[in-house]
Each structure stands twice: as structure tokens, then as C-alpha cells.
Coordinates of all heavy atoms in Angstrom, one line a residue:
L1 N -20.2 22.7 -0.7 CA -21.4 22.6 -1.6 C -20.9 22.0 -3.0 O -21.6 21.1 -3.5 CB -22.1 23.9 -1.8 CG -23.2 24.0 -2.8 CD1 -24.3 23.0 -2.4 CD2 -23.7 25.4 -2.9
L2 N -19.8 22.5 -3.5 CA -19.3 22.1 -4.8 C -18.9 20.6 -4.7 O -19.1 19.8 -5.6 CB -18.1 22.9 -5.2 CG -18.4 24.3 -5.6 CD1 -17.1 25.1 -5.9 CD2 -19.3 24.4 -6.9
T3 N -18.4 20.2 -3.5 CA -18.0 18.8 -3.3 C -19.3 17.9 -3.4 O -19.2 16.8 -4.1 CB -17.4 18.6 -1.9 OG1 -16.2 19.4 -1.9 CG2 -17.0 17.1 -1.7
T4 N -20.3 18.3 -2.7 CA -21.5 17.4 -2.7 C -22.2 17.4 -4.1 O -22.7 16.4 -4.6 CB -22.5 17.9 -1.7 OG1 -22.9 19.2 -1.9 CG2 -21.9 17.8 -0.3
I5 N -22.1 18.5 -4.8 CA -22.7 18.6 -6.2 C -22.0 17.6 -7.1 O -22.6 16.9 -7.9 CB -22.7 20.0 -6.7 CG1 -23.7 20.9 -6.0 CG2 -22.9 20.1 -8.2 CD1 -23.7 22.4 -6.3
L6 N -20.6 17.7 -7.1 CA -19.9 16.8 -7.9 C -20.0 15.3 -7.6 O -20.1 14.5 -8.5 CB -18.4 17.2 -7.9 CG -18.0 18.5 -8.7 CD1 -16.6 18.9 -8.3 CD2 -18.1 18.2 -10.2
N7 N -20.1 15.1 -6.3 CA -20.3 13.7 -5.9 C -21.6 13.1 -6.3 O -21.8 11.8 -6.3 CB -20.1 13.5 -4.4 CG -18.6 13.3 -4.0 OD1 -17.9 12.7 -4.8 ND2 -18.2 13.9 -2.9
A8 N -22.6 13.9 -6.6 CA -23.9 13.4 -7.1 C -23.8 12.8 -8.5 O -24.7 12.2 -8.9 CB -24.9 14.6 -7.0
N9 N -22.7 13.1 -9.2 CA -22.4 12.6 -10.5 C -21.6 11.3 -10.3 O -20.5 11.3 -9.7 CB -21.6 13.6 -11.3 CG -21.5 13.2 -12.8 OD1 -21.2 12.0 -13.1 ND2 -21.6 14.1 -13.7
N10 N -22.1 10.2 -10.8 CA -21.4 8.9 -10.6 C -20.0 8.8 -11.3 O -19.2 8.0 -10.9 CB -22.3 7.8 -11.2 CG -23.5 7.5 -10.4 OD1 -23.5 7.8 -9.2 ND2 -24.6 7.0 -11.0
E11 N -19.7 9.8 -12.2 CA -18.4 9.8 -12.8 C -17.3 10.4 -12.0 O -16.2 10.4 -12.4 CB -18.5 10.5 -14.2 CG -19.4 9.7 -15.2 CD -19.4 10.5 -16.5 OE1 -18.8 11.6 -16.6 OE2 -20.0 9.9 -17.5
V12 N -17.7 11.1 -10.9 CA -16.8 11.9 -10.1 C -16.7 11.3 -8.7 O -17.6 10.9 -8.0 CB -17.3 13.4 -10.0 CG1 -16.3 14.2 -9.3 CG2 -17.7 13.9 -11.4
L13 N -15.4 11.3 -8.2 CA -15.1 11.1 -6.8 C -14.5 12.4 -6.3 O -13.4 12.7 -6.6 CB -14.2 9.9 -6.6 CG -13.8 9.6 -5.1 CD1 -15.1 9.2 -4.3 CD2 -12.8 8.5 -5.0
C14 N -15.2 13.1 -5.4 CA -14.7 14.4 -4.9 C -14.5 14.2 -3.4 O -15.4 13.9 -2.6 CB -15.7 15.5 -5.2 SG -15.0 17.1 -4.8
L15 N -13.3 14.4 -2.9 CA -12.9 14.0 -1.5 C -12.5 15.3 -0.7 O -11.9 16.2 -1.3 CB -11.8 13.0 -1.5 CG -12.2 11.7 -2.1 CD1 -11.0 10.9 -2.6 CD2 -13.0 10.9 -1.1
P16 N -13.0 15.4 0.5 CA -12.8 16.6 1.3 C -11.5 16.6 2.1 O -11.3 15.8 3.0 CB -14.0 16.6 2.2 CG -14.3 15.1 2.4 CD -13.8 14.4 1.2
E17 N -10.6 17.5 1.7 CA -9.5 17.9 2.6 C -8.6 16.8 3.1 O -8.4 16.6 4.3 CB -10.0 18.8 3.7 CG -10.8 20.0 3.2 CD -11.3 20.9 4.2 OE1 -10.7 21.0 5.3 OE2 -12.3 21.6 4.0
T18 N -8.2 15.9 2.2 CA -7.3 14.8 2.6 C -5.9 15.2 2.9 O -5.2 14.7 3.8 CB -7.3 13.7 1.5 OG1 -6.7 14.3 0.4 CG2 -8.6 13.2 1.2
K19 N -5.4 16.3 2.2 CA -4.1 16.9 2.4 C -2.9 15.9 2.0 O -1.8 16.3 2.2 CB -3.9 17.3 3.8 CG -4.9 18.4 4.3 CD -4.6 18.8 5.7 CE -5.7 19.7 6.3 NZ -5.8 21.0 5.5
F20 N -3.2 14.8 1.4 CA -2.2 13.8 1.2 C -1.1 14.3 0.2 O 0.1 14.1 0.4 CB -2.8 12.5 0.6 CG -3.6 11.7 1.5 CD1 -4.6 10.9 1.0 CD2 -3.5 11.8 2.9 CE1 -5.5 10.2 1.9 CE2 -4.3 11.1 3.8 CZ -5.3 10.3 3.3
I21 N -1.6 14.9 -0.9 CA -0.7 15.2 -2.0 C 0.5 16.1 -1.6 O 1.6 15.9 -1.9 CB -1.5 15.9 -3.2 CG1 -2.5 14.9 -3.7 CG2 -0.5 16.4 -4.3 CD1 -3.4 15.5 -4.7
L22 N 0.2 17.1 -0.8 CA 1.3 18.0 -0.3 C 2.0 17.6 0.9 O 3.1 17.9 1.2 CB 0.8 19.5 -0.2 CG 0.5 20.1 -1.5 CD1 0.2 21.6 -1.3 CD2 1.6 20.0 -2.6
T23 N 1.3 16.8 1.7 CA 1.9 16.3 3.0 C 3.2 15.5 2.7 O 4.1 15.6 3.4 CB 0.9 15.4 3.7 OG1 -0.3 16.2 4.1 CG2 1.5 14.8 5.0
F24 N 3.1 14.7 1.7 CA 4.3 13.8 1.4 C 5.1 14.3 0.2 O 6.1 13.7 -0.2 CB 3.8 12.4 1.1 CG 3.0 11.8 2.2 CD1 1.6 11.8 2.1 CD2 3.5 11.4 3.3 CE1 0.8 11.3 3.1 CE2 2.8 10.8 4.4 CZ 1.4 10.8 4.2
Y25 N 4.8 15.5 -0.3 CA 5.4 16.0 -1.5 C 6.9 16.2 -1.4 O 7.7 15.7 -2.2 CB 4.8 17.3 -1.9 CG 5.4 18.0 -3.1 CD1 5.2 17.6 -4.4 CD2 6.3 19.1 -2.9 CE1 5.9 18.2 -5.5 CE2 7.0 19.7 -4.0 CZ 6.7 19.3 -5.3 OH 7.3 19.9 -6.3
Q26 N 7.3 16.9 -0.3 CA 8.7 17.3 -0.2 C 9.7 16.1 -0.1 O 10.7 16.1 -0.7 CB 8.9 18.2 1.0 CG 10.4 18.8 1.1 CD 10.5 19.8 2.2 OE1 9.5 20.1 2.9 NE2 11.6 20.4 2.4
K27 N 9.2 15.1 0.6 CA 10.1 13.9 0.8 C 10.0 12.9 -0.3 O 11.1 12.3 -0.6 CB 9.7 13.2 2.1 CG 10.6 12.1 2.5 CD 10.3 11.6 3.9 CE 11.3 10.5 4.4 NZ 11.0 10.0 5.7
F28 N 8.9 12.7 -1.0 CA 8.7 11.6 -1.9 C 8.4 12.0 -3.3 O 8.6 11.1 -4.2 CB 7.6 10.7 -1.4 CG 7.9 10.0 0.0 CD1 7.3 10.5 1.1 CD2 8.8 9.0 0.1 CE1 7.5 9.9 2.3 CE2 9.0 8.4 1.3 CZ 8.4 8.8 2.4
A29 N 8.0 13.2 -3.6 CA 7.5 13.5 -5.0 C 8.5 13.4 -6.0 O 8.2 13.1 -7.2 CB 6.9 14.9 -5.0
H30 N 9.8 13.6 -5.7 CA 10.8 13.6 -6.7 C 11.6 12.2 -6.8 O 12.6 12.1 -7.5 CB 11.8 14.7 -6.4 CG 11.2 16.0 -6.3 ND1 10.6 16.7 -7.4 CD2 11.0 16.8 -5.2 CE1 10.0 17.8 -6.9 NE2 10.3 17.9 -5.6
Q31 N 11.0 11.2 -6.1 CA 11.6 9.9 -6.2 C 11.0 9.0 -7.2 O 9.8 9.1 -7.4 CB 11.5 9.2 -4.8 CG 12.2 9.9 -3.7 CD 12.0 9.1 -2.3 OE1 11.2 8.2 -2.3 NE2 12.6 9.6 -1.3
H32 N 11.8 8.3 -8.0 CA 11.2 7.3 -8.9 C 12.3 6.2 -9.1 O 13.3 6.5 -9.7 CB 10.8 7.9 -10.2 CG 10.0 7.0 -11.0 ND1 8.7 6.5 -10.6 CD2 10.2 6.4 -12.2 CE1 8.2 5.7 -11.5 NE2 9.1 5.6 -12.5
P33 N 12.1 5.0 -8.6 CA 10.9 4.6 -7.8 C 10.8 5.3 -6.4 O 11.8 5.7 -5.9 CB 11.1 3.1 -7.7 CG 12.5 2.9 -7.7 CD 13.1 3.9 -8.7
I34 N 9.6 5.3 -5.9 CA 9.4 5.9 -4.6 C 10.0 5.0 -3.5 O 9.8 3.7 -3.6 CB 7.9 6.1 -4.3 CG1 7.4 7.1 -5.4 CG2 7.6 6.6 -2.9 CD1 5.8 7.2 -5.4
S35 N 10.6 5.5 -2.5 CA 11.2 4.8 -1.5 C 10.3 3.9 -0.7 O 9.1 4.3 -0.4 CB 11.9 5.7 -0.5 OG 12.3 5.1 0.7
P36 N 10.7 2.6 -0.4 CA 9.8 1.8 0.4 C 9.4 2.4 1.8 O 8.4 2.0 2.4 CB 10.7 0.5 0.6 CG 11.6 0.5 -0.5 CD 11.9 2.0 -0.8
S37 N 10.2 3.4 2.3 CA 9.9 4.0 3.6 C 8.5 4.7 3.5 O 7.9 5.0 4.5 CB 11.0 4.9 4.0 OG 11.0 6.1 3.1
F38 N 8.0 5.0 2.3 CA 6.7 5.7 2.2 C 5.6 4.8 2.9 O 4.7 5.4 3.5 CB 6.3 5.9 0.7 CG 5.0 6.5 0.6 CD1 4.8 7.8 0.6 CD2 3.9 5.7 0.4 CE1 3.5 8.4 0.5 CE2 2.6 6.2 0.2 CZ 2.4 7.6 0.3
A39 N 5.7 3.5 2.7 CA 4.7 2.6 3.3 C 4.5 2.9 4.8 O 3.4 3.1 5.3 CB 5.1 1.2 3.0
D40 N 5.6 2.8 5.5 CA 5.5 3.0 7.0 C 5.1 4.5 7.3 O 4.3 4.7 8.2 CB 6.8 2.7 7.7 CG 7.1 1.2 7.7 OD1 6.2 0.4 7.6 OD2 8.3 0.9 7.7
T41 N 5.6 5.4 6.6 CA 5.3 6.8 6.8 C 3.8 7.1 6.6 O 3.2 7.7 7.4 CB 6.1 7.7 5.9 OG1 7.5 7.5 6.1 CG2 5.8 9.2 6.1
F42 N 3.3 6.6 5.5 CA 1.9 6.8 5.2 C 1.0 6.1 6.2 O 0.0 6.7 6.6 CB 1.6 6.3 3.8 CG 0.1 6.6 3.4 CD1 -0.3 7.9 3.1 CD2 -0.8 5.6 3.3 CE1 -1.6 8.1 2.7 CE2 -2.1 5.8 3.0 CZ -2.5 7.1 2.7
S43 N 1.3 4.9 6.5 CA 0.5 4.1 7.5 C 0.4 4.8 8.8 O -0.6 4.9 9.5 CB 1.0 2.7 7.6 OG 0.8 2.0 6.4

């Protein structure tokens, strides 16, 4: 419900349960620059 309420505001993009941020955290979050292998892993 909170997701749909926020998405009714044009200034907000509220996305449901993508899990991306923590899925790749352990392997890639501490890299800078991020390894090119991220591309294949993510795809």
C-alpha cells in the first residue's frame, strides 16, 4: 500500500522487492572501480 501511495507522486519511483542492492553487495560493493565481471553476473 505504501508503495502504491508513493508511486502516485510523480516525484517518486518506488519499486517492489528487487533485492538488487544486497544480492550483489558482498562481491561488488567494496570495489572501485567495479569489476567488469559485474556485467555478466547481473545479466
Side-chain angles (χ1 to χ4, degrees):
L1 175 60
L2 290 173
T3 299
T4 59
I5 287 172
L6 283 169
N7 274 326
N9 188 318
N10 290 332
E11 295 181 354
V12 186
L13 178 64
C14 190
L15 296 158
E17 304 180 28
T18 62
K19 303 183 186 293
F20 294 153
I21 294 172
L22 290 188
T23 297
F24 304 102
Y25 174 79
Q26 186 171 1
K27 186 172 182 179
F28 295 104
H30 306 292
Q31 298 179 355
H32 192 64
I34 297 169
S35 167
S37 66
F38 176 86
D40 289 336
T41 301
F42 182 74
S43 296

